[in-house]
Amino acid sequence: MFEEGKKLIEEAKTIYITAHINPDGDAIGSTYAMYFALKKLNKDVHVIMPAYSDIFEFLPSISICEKSIDCDKYDLLIGMDSSDYSRIAVSKEEYDKARKVLMIDHHQKSNPYGDVRYIYPDISSTSELVYDIISYLNIPIDNVMASYMYMGIMTDTGSFNYSNTSAKTHMVVADLINKGADSTNICKMLNDTIKEAKLFLLKKTIENMEVYFDSKVRYSYVDYDTINSLGLDEEDAEGMTNYLRMVKGTWVAIYVRGKKDGSFKVSMRSSGQVDLSKIAIMFNGGGHPRAAGYTITGDLEVAKNKLLNAIEAVIK
Ligand code: AMP
Ligand code: MN
Ligand code: MN
C-alpha cells in the first residue's frame, strides 16, 4: 500500500515535514509521529510547524520545530493533513524548490500535490494513516510517537464520537495505549482545560448567536477587536463552533471570527444532514462533510447571506 512512499523515504537522506496552517491536533500529531519515526531510520529530519496554540505546549519535544528552512537543501518534503499545497506552511517559492514531495492526507476533496500521494478519506485522521504507514515501514512505535498519534486521532474524531471513528480506529488506539500513549493526560490537557479568556469568548459567541431555518442553523460572529482585547491570539480564538452545534436540533453551526488582516475565518460544523465540504468548496474553502471552513475577504454581511442561502438550498 505504501511501496512508492517507502521508496521515496528510503532514497532521501534529508527530509522535512510540514502541516497545514492553523495546525490542529491531527496536523501536529501526524507530523511529529512521522518525525520521530524517521529519526529511527537515522534520517536527517526536520519539522516546519506554523504557529500553533499554546494548549499543545505540554507535548514532548514539540519545540524542536523550525519556522523555515532552505527547502532546496533537502531531498524530500512531506506534507501532512493538508488538502492543498497552498495550505502547508511552506511558501509557493520554497515549495517549487522541493526535490521530491510526498502528500499524506485524509480530506474528502483535495487538490492533490506532490510526486507520491496518499489520500484516504475513509480513514479518521492523518494520524491514523501515519500509524498504518509506520507499521508498513516496520518502525517500532515508542511512547512519544504513540502519544502524538493518539492525540491526532482523538482530536480529529472528537474523542472517538464522530462517524469517522471505525472499529479499526479503536484497535489502533488500543495498540497506541499499549505502546505507552499518555492518553489520560492528553485528554485532560486538551478536553478538560480552558483559559479564562476563552470562557469570555464563549460568552461573546453566545451573546452574538443568531438562529435560522427553524433553529436548524446557528450562526455567531466575534470581531477581531474583541478577540484581541481578550488577549487571545489567532489559534486561541478557535473552537467555538462545537458549542453552537451541540444544541439539540442544530443541523449546521457557523462561527465566524475576525482576523487581524481584516478578513474573516468561517468555521462550520454539521450534525450529519448537510455535507459542509460541498458548501465550503462553493466559497473556495474545503474540509470534511461535518467540519469545513473558508475565508471571507469582502463584506461580511454579503458573504453571510450568500452562505445562508447556500445552506437553505440544501436543507429545504
Ligand atoms: P476548522 O473549523 O478551522 O477546524 O476547520 C475545519 C476543517 O475545514 C479543517 O479540518 C480543514 O480541513 C477545513 N478548512 C478550514 N478552513 C479552510 C480553508 N480556508 N480552506 C480549505 N479548507 C479549510
Ligand atoms: Mn487538520
Ligand atoms: Mn485531519
Side-chain angles (χ1 to χ4, degrees), residues 20 24 26-27 81 105-107 124-126 156 288:
H20 63 76
D24 50 22
D26 188 32
D81 197 39
D105 186 38
H106 71 122
H107 286 88
S124 72
S125 52
T126 305
D156 253 29
H288 310 277

Side-chain angles (χ1 to χ4, degrees), residues 5 71 86 122 127 131 162 182 201 213 218 247 252 281 302 314:
C71 296
S86 67
D122 293 334
S127 298
Y131 173 92
Y162 302 157
D182 193 10
L201 178 66
F213 313 130
R218 284 171 195 275
V247 182
V252 174
I281 286 166
V302 173
V314 181

Side-chain angles (χ1 to χ4, degrees), residues 120-145:
Y120 286 82
D122 293 334
I123 292 188
S124 72
S125 52
T126 305
S127 298
E128 185 178 330
L129 187 48
V130 165
Y131 173 92
D132 294 339
I133 292 169
I134 289 174
S135 305
Y136 185 89
L137 296 173
N138 276 319
I139 302 172
I141 295 175
D142 63 25
N143 60 327
V144 172
M145 290 157 67

Side-chain angles (χ1 to χ4, degrees), residues 231-258:
L232 292 166
D233 54 28
E234 291 267 324
E235 302 80 41
D236 281 332
E238 299 283 313
M240 293 296 114
T241 332
N242 254 335
Y243 291 107
L244 305 174
R245 190 198 46 79
M246 277 159 64
V247 182
K248 197 173 175 191
T250 305
W251 287 15
V252 174
I254 306 154
Y255 165 68
V256 178
R257 69 172 170 89

